[in-house]
Amino acid sequence: MQLTINGQQHTVPDSEGSTPLLWVLRDHLGLVGAKYGCGVAQCGACTVHVNGSPVRSCVTPASAVVGQQVTTIEGLAASVGKTDGRLHALQEAWIEHDVAQCGYCQAGQIMSAAALLKNNPKPTDADIDNALAGNLCRCGTYIRIRKAIHAAAARLNERAAS
Amino acid sequence: MSAAFSADDYINQIMRAAEAQTATSPKTEFNRRGFLKVVGLAGGGLVLAFHVGGQNLAFAQDGIKRTADEKKEFAPNAFLRVSPDGSILIYSKGPEIGQGIKTAFPLIIAEELDADWKQVKVEQAPINPAVYGRQSAGGSRSIPTSWDQLRLAGASARAMLIAAAAQEWRVPVEQIRAENSVVIHTGSGRQLTYGALANKAALQPIPDEKSLRLKDRKEYKLLGSRISGVDNRAIVTGQPLFGIDQTLPGLRYAVFEKCPAVGGKVKSANLAEIKKLPGIVDAFVLEGTGKVAEVMPGVAIIATSTWAAFQAKRALKIVWDESEASKDNWHEWIKQAEALAKQTGPETIFSAGDFTKATADAKVVEAFYRYPFVSHTPLEPQNCTAWFRDGRIELWAPTQNPEAGLAAVASTLGLPQEKITIHQTRVGGGFGRRLINDFMCEAAAIAQKVNAPIKLTWTREDDQLHDFYRVGGFHSFKGGIDKSGKLIAWADHFITFTADGQQPTSGGDLRPDEFPAQVLPHVSLTQTKLPLKTPTGPWRAPRSCSIAFAVQSFIHECAVAAGRDHLEFLLSIMGEPRWLKEGDPYALNTARAISVIKLAAEKAGWGKPLPKGRGLGLAFHFSHAGHFAQVAEVSVDTNKKLRVHKVTVAGDIGPIINLSGAENQVEGCVIDGYSTALGLELDIVNGRIQQTNFDTYPILRIPHTPEVAVHFIQSDFPPTGVGEPALPPVAPAIANAIYNATGYRVRTLPLVREGFTV
Ligand code: FES
Ligand code: FES
């Protein structure tokens, strides 16, 4: 089975077809940015993009993404053309706003936010609430998550305008 | 009553160890415990000269491996080293559980070192309490117990750098100052970087601790500003920081199934069937040590991937011997407590004056409060990687308490501590859960039986089923109000739990000095203890996290009964500004209390006109050396649909180390406090927790997040922690606001039990 993850081809044994993408990423491919939090699509810690849309990798069988473009937090910056250590605007905003507490949920939060901004460059608080309602943060960093998304959106819009 | 499954003794030991470092007057409280351990130039790379009170006393290893190049560096103590290229590496000694200590600790060192923060790299220190002192995160004590130690570590290194420059320039040290990793000769303006001085500095004599001048607050450049967390970049790019991210060559993946009712033993299991499943390497029964803080009986499965292990775990069929297992039942306890509510408790916790006489001709208010058991539910489930070989074990553990973990693993395996190495990983949420290291002990016990490194991962369900829960409780209150409307008498029959038939279970003790007992003339605190087997433990702001809801709500009830404004009533209870135990940071200081209460009220617009269905609610609580007051603004519609609009927080924890981190902690405390008060309750049926994942245990989500305004009073008291004390006032502030909005008094948590929705 061939999987395309962050633009790279990976060969995974066919026997792993029913294994959730999350565990293929973490145990087989060593990409541990997507996290295990619940295993039942309740917490969003495992969020990755499939063809640009956010999916919960803990309930997505690996076989379902054959031939699709999978992006994880490790490849997010590159997916928007940021290479050589440069970051996605959301990642920059997350650092500047010091969003994380324990940090465990944050990869999933950022992936959900990135999918939101792609379709909605100027989200309102309500848009953010809708797009991120599936991402739990046990530490309660929601206030900063909202701020960071607004800040990243503003920066992206500025860049687009200039 | 058997206490077999209680971790109380173990937890008490941990808590006592933490409190022993901080329990007395601020002089010993914030003193320089067992410090200062400074290196001469470490010839062998691993040898450190211990320096305590100005003398070289002993030698020890800090456990850090150094290359030949690194040995040329200036490594004045186990906390930092300066390389000739100017980069500075600071070791953060304590566990990072989301409380920001991995940034705060190095900031304190960097401030006294006058380091350029941009050149500072931070790494987690090895576990070696002999070198680093306390290596545990709990009780909001990381900052108070390490404040002086870290400041001295930075200041001594700065003194050695300055001494090196003085030698180089042949000028007195008094003419040299340091700034941003550069030393400057005041007269001539000559400069040398720390990097350029690193070699020379390493040859300087170790400064006498008493000769070091620590900075005055006015001189701070880093402390008190907003600094972004040192791991932020690694977090947002998905680097392998956490325990669950660890991997090793040839790693095997383990799961461990225990009886869902604590204390059950394995009678039989379909091991042969399990071993035939795809990807399964082995399956075996572990008898365990019978201690819930170590290893309870269960079945371990070893697999070639986490998923294979999870799948096999589902296929497990275990017959449990539940003869000694928990049969606890939450709803039975509620009935028992309600039946006891009218009486006073058989045991007296505290009494003052004469409650009966004082209330003979007073107005008496009565109410019965209840709050549930809750779990910690950190987002990263318990896990630990362990490798047992050649009679030694190495562990990679997301623990809050590696110090205690070392002892627990030693006890589990019967191995001397020298044969155990613990690597601290970042921790995906602590909240008190990871003070207890059962997951480490399990990983160790499994690893001992497997000829490969193993990573034990708990499922979310495991994590919910095998916690050390925040204990539920009940308060039957009476308040006496005299003719002038003054609260003169207070009685609380506290109905709690005991695991050993003697002491209240961990987190379930009402202390004799619980507010407002110490400030009222007539007080009667009594208790009844119901037997339980469900393990309990410290949960973010232990005791306070639950008791404050009952106490601060009932104070509001008394204010209403007295016909007085809640703010004015609360301030009048505080009375004269005074420190109830002069010099003890863990004793209430009513002056600080009054300041934060007034500030929260003022910032929230206390008394402002509000539309119907909208209300402000006030609460105060003192815990973990932090004085915190909060005002919640809520609206409630006729269908009991609740919206918490804003929570205004005023707190006094002394000077702030990292403003960004401190504000983040307060925001987190408010959201955690609201989340728990709103919807979280564990039902225990026949010893089994019923809420095993987020669908039934609904942690608050982003759409319901209130605005949080944080105001610190940065008093001159020594700094104390902020991970906990901002949490307790949240629930009562919201409950009191609901009353002010609707006239409905919340006496049961969670709010959903009272019919509220969001
Ligand atoms: S782990 Fe996938 S949603 Fe929780
Ligand atoms: S930062 Fe800890 S779960 Fe979100």
Side-chain angles (χ1 to χ4, degrees):
Chain A
M1 173 170 71
Q2 289 277 84
L3 301 184
T4 314
I5 320 270
N6 301 328
Q8 282 185 2
Q9 291 287 112
H10 294 270
T11 308
V12 175
D14 284 342
S15 57
E16 298 298 335
S18 63
T19 300
L21 177 59
L22 173 66
W23 297 112
V24 170
L25 292 171
R26 292 184 59 84
D27 289 352
H28 296 266
L29 305 177
L31 293 167
V32 295
K35 296 289 190 262
Y36 168 67
C38 69
V40 291
Q42 284 286 321
C43 77
C46 63
T47 305
V48 300
H49 293 175
V50 176
N51 301 334
S53 299
V55 305
R56 308 294 182 229
S57 65
C58 68
V59 292
T60 306
S63 59
V65 300
V66 171
Q68 324 281 315
Q69 297 290 329
V70 176
T71 308
T72 69
I73 188 75
E74 290 92 337
L76 177 67
S79 78
V80 293
K82 302 276 182 179
T83 49
D84 308 325
R86 289 176 310 150
L87 298 178
H88 189 288
L90 280 165
Q91 292 169 314
E92 289 172 352
W94 242 251
I95 294 172
E96 278 159 29
H97 286 78
D98 194 23
V99 173
Q101 284 185 33
C102 82
Y104 195 76
C105 70
Q106 301 298 347
Q109 307 278 3
I110 292 171
M111 294 309 281
S112 292
L116 166 70
L117 288 193
K118 213 156 27 149
N119 298 322
N120 181 352
K122 283 185 192 166
T124 61
D125 273 352
D127 296 335
I128 293 172
D129 286 357
N130 269 332
L132 276 82
N135 289 84
L136 283 177
C137 176
R138 172 64 180 90
C139 300
T141 62
Y142 299 127
I143 294 168
R144 291 182 182 208
I145 288 173
R146 275 197 203 128
K147 273 191 201 143
I149 295 174
H150 285 307
R155 185 167 299 174
L156 287 172
N157 292 331
E158 252 168 54
R159 281 182 200 159
S162 64
Chain B
M1 179 70 221
S2 148
F5 318 127
S6 158
D8 286 359
D9 281 351
Y10 177 77
I11 293 164
N12 287 338
Q13 211 181 316
I14 293 172
M15 299 313 254
R16 267 198 304 274
E19 290 180 18
Q21 301 185 316
T22 55
T24 47
S25 74
K27 277 206 195 68
T28 50
E29 163 90 23
F30 298 105
N31 81 355
R32 303 155 181 191
R33 294 192 61 83
F35 196 64
L36 186 64
K37 298 148 185 168
V38 180
V39 201
L41 186 62
L46 291 175
V47 184
L48 287 180
F50 266 24
H51 174 79
V52 181
Q55 297 167 289
N56 286 321
L57 287 184
F59 291 90
Q61 297 187 333
D62 64 0
I64 300 166
K65 294 201 184 70
R66 298 197 169 89
T67 63
D69 261 2
E70 285 168 342
K71 287 175 197 162
K72 292 196 200 110
E73 293 165 341
F74 172 44
N77 52 50
F79 290 95
L80 68 111
R81 47 180 152 116
V82 180
S83 301
D85 69 2
S87 64
I88 298 172
L89 179 62
I90 299 185
Y91 290 99
S92 179
K93 66 172 193 153
E96 173 58 66
I97 59 173
Q99 87 284 40
I101 217 67
K102 196 171 171 184
T103 307
F105 273 174
L107 264 182
I108 297 170
I109 294 174
E111 179 69 65
E112 290 294 344
L113 178 60
D114 274 313
D116 177 356
W117 183 247
K118 288 195 293 297
Q119 293 179 317
V120 172
K121 291 239 165 342
V122 177
E123 273 180 26
Q124 201 70 56
I127 300 305
N128 192 342
V131 170
Y132 290 100
R134 183 176 192 255
Q135 292 190 287
S136 165
S140 291
R141 285 169 197 265
S142 294
I143 292 291
T145 54
S146 306
W147 173 237
D148 279 345
Q149 183 194 30
L150 300 177
R151 288 194 299 163
L152 288 168
S156 62
R158 176 182 51 185
M160 291 165 85
L161 286 156
I162 287 179
Q167 215 172 47
E168 176 88 20
W169 293 329
R170 298 173 198 284
V171 300
V173 289
E174 292 74 28
Q175 295 179 5
I176 301 176
R177 66 194 159 85
E179 183 177 305
N180 249 345
S181 291
V182 173
V183 294
I184 301 156
H185 180 232
T186 311
S188 66
R190 273 176 295 180
Q191 301 193 350
L192 277 170
T193 63
Y194 282 8
L197 285 166
N199 278 322
K200 270 227 162 71
L203 301 171
Q204 296 304 312
I206 297 151
D208 180 346
E209 180 182 321
K210 291 190 206 74
S211 73
L212 299 172
R213 194 189 73 86
L214 296 176
K215 284 186 184 176
D216 194 73
R217 252 174 87 187
K218 293 190 292 291
E219 300 168 80
Y220 287 163
K221 299 198 178 76
L222 292 169
L223 297 189
S225 57
R226 288 190 175 81
I227 306 281
S228 188
V230 294
D231 276 346
N232 278 347
R233 189 184 167 98
I235 288 169
V236 303
T237 53
Q239 302 308 303
L241 288 171
F242 296 91
I244 206 169
D245 301 337
Q246 304 307 308
T247 188
L248 288 166
L251 184 70
R252 297 300 190 195
Y253 300 82
V255 289
F256 189 51
E257 177 87 358
K258 288 174 286 188
C259 183
V262 64
K265 298 195 188 90
V266 183
K267 213 184 250 170
S268 64
N270 58 339
L271 297 181
E273 237 169 82
I274 295 297
K275 285 187 206 170
K276 283 188 217 126
L277 294 175
I280 300 307
V281 178
D282 201 0
F284 49 85
V285 173
L286 274 186
E287 300 294 340
T289 62
K291 290 186 189 156
V292 78
E294 292 177 0
V295 183
M296 294 298 276
V299 173
I301 301 173
I302 315 299
T304 54
S305 72
T306 311
W307 184 245
F310 279 14
Q311 291 289 86
K313 191 169 184 283
R314 265 186 224 163
L316 257 179
K317 292 194 191 86
I318 304 175
V319 180
W320 299 106
D321 166 4
E322 293 194 38
S323 52
E324 285 170 39
S326 167
K327 311 267 185 305
D328 288 351
N329 202 318
W330 172 232
H331 283 274
E332 283 305 315
W333 284 331
I334 295 174
K335 274 188 228 148
Q336 289 176 33
E338 281 170 353
L340 292 165
K342 289 285 160 220
Q343 315 159 14
T344 55
E347 294 166 30
T348 299
I349 299 170
F350 176 73
S351 92
D354 188 333
F355 181 87
T356 316
K357 218 159 127 198
T359 47
D361 52 50
K363 180 171 187 177
V364 177
V365 189
E366 293 185 44
F368 181 70
Y369 281 79
R370 137 185 158 206
Y371 43 79
F373 284 69
V374 295
S375 55
H376 297 85
T377 316
L379 199 57
E380 179 188 17
Q382 309 310 312
N383 66 85
C384 181
T385 299
W387 195 355
F388 189 93
R389 54 192 158 141
D390 310 327
R392 303 182 57 88
I393 190 161
E394 213 172 332
L395 300 109
W396 290 258
T399 171
Q400 271 180 265
N401 198 348
E403 219 181 311
L406 194 59
V409 169
S411 156
T412 301
L413 300 185
L415 214 59
Q417 294 198 6
E418 308 81 72
K419 298 207 183 257
I420 303 169
T421 307
I422 296 175
H423 305 277
Q424 286 193 76
T425 67
R426 198 176 170 89
V427 180
F431 314 107
R433 171 61 182 85
R434 288 170 157 110
L435 287 167
I436 302 146
N437 294 297
D438 49 338
F439 54 93
M440 284 176 75
C441 297
E442 289 175 2
I446 294 169
Q448 202 179 24
K449 290 201 173 333
V450 179
N451 195 14
I454 60 110
K455 173 158 69 180
L456 170 69
T457 305
W458 287 23
T459 62
R460 170 57 52 201
E461 288 77 12
D462 292 333
D463 204 84
Q464 286 293 108
L465 287 172
H466 304 289
D467 196 353
F468 298 83
Y469 305 93
R470 196 284 301 274
V471 64
F474 312 85
H475 297 256
S476 184
F477 287 119
K478 280 186 189 155
I481 295 155
D482 74 6
K483 298 220 165 47
S484 67
K486 207 168 143 200
L487 182 65
I488 51 159
W490 178 271
D492 182 0
H493 172 195
F494 178 48
I495 301 163
T496 183
F497 298 90
T498 179
D500 63 2
Q502 312 278 322
Q503 298 304 313
T505 191
S506 174
D509 53 328
L510 181 70
R511 296 199 165 170
D513 62 352
E514 186 66 48
F515 186 82
Q518 339 91 305
V519 293
L520 295 179
H522 305 285
V523 178
S524 158
L525 305 182
T526 61
Q527 75 181 356
T528 300
K529 301 187 302 269
L530 307 174
L532 102 168
K533 286 199 174 179
T534 304
T536 70
W539 190 100
R540 198 175 202 171
R543 295 181 295 278
S544 298
C545 63
S546 45
I547 291 172
F549 157 68
V551 166
Q552 293 291 320
S553 297
F554 188 64
I555 286 177
H556 185 214
E557 287 204 62
C558 291
V560 173
R564 291 169 64 182
D565 172 70
H566 186 190
L567 170 62
E568 175 268 320
F569 189 75
L570 189 55
L571 291 172
S572 76
I573 294 174
M574 291 297 164
E576 289 303 304
R578 66 209 184 279
W579 200 346
L580 295 189
K581 203 163 148 213
E582 191 71 30
D584 180 358
Y586 295 92
L588 177 72
N589 184 325
T590 60
R592 297 173 84 179
I594 290 166
S595 309
V596 296
I597 293 168
K598 284 184 173 163
L599 183 63
E602 178 206 315
K603 295 287 182 188
W606 188 257
K608 70 185 175 186
L610 291 167
K612 197 169 154 4
R614 201 164 170 121
L616 292 178
L618 170 68
F620 163 82
H621 190 77
F622 170 71
S623 75
H624 301 82
H627 295 76
F628 275 87
Q630 301 188 6
V631 175
E633 182 163 350
V634 311
S635 55
V636 186
D637 75 7
T638 46
N639 295 318
K640 281 188 146 178
K641 196 164 155 52
L642 169 72
R643 176 89 213 175
V644 178
H645 300 278
K646 182 172 180 179
V647 178
T648 304
V649 183
D652 177 357
I653 48 168
I656 302 297
I657 309 290
N658 177 4
L659 190 53
S660 176
E663 287 168 343
N664 210 351
Q665 287 304 305
V666 173
E667 290 167 10
C669 278
V670 169
I671 290 165
D672 191 359
Y674 175 36
S675 174
T676 308
L678 175 65
L680 302 185
E681 177 175 38
L682 295 172
D683 198 0
I684 309 169
V685 179
N686 206 17
R688 288 159 161 80
I689 301 293
Q690 303 296 300
Q691 287 70 25
T692 59
N693 211 318
F694 297 115
D695 47 353
T696 49
Y697 199 69
I699 308 270
L700 196 80
R701 292 176 185 269
I702 196 170
H704 306 299
T705 301
E707 184 188 337
V708 179
V710 186
H711 305 278
F712 288 116
I713 294 177
Q714 297 205 37
S715 62
D716 278 318
F717 294 91
T720 54
V722 66
E724 296 173 281
L727 182 132
V730 182
I734 291 170
N736 293 339
I738 290 174
Y739 179 85
N740 288 338
T742 63
Y744 183 89
R745 175 57 62 186
V746 173
R747 295 198 185 93
T748 297
L749 290 182
L751 294 165
V752 294
R753 283 282 160 274
E754 295 258 20
F756 292 93
T757 60
V758 287

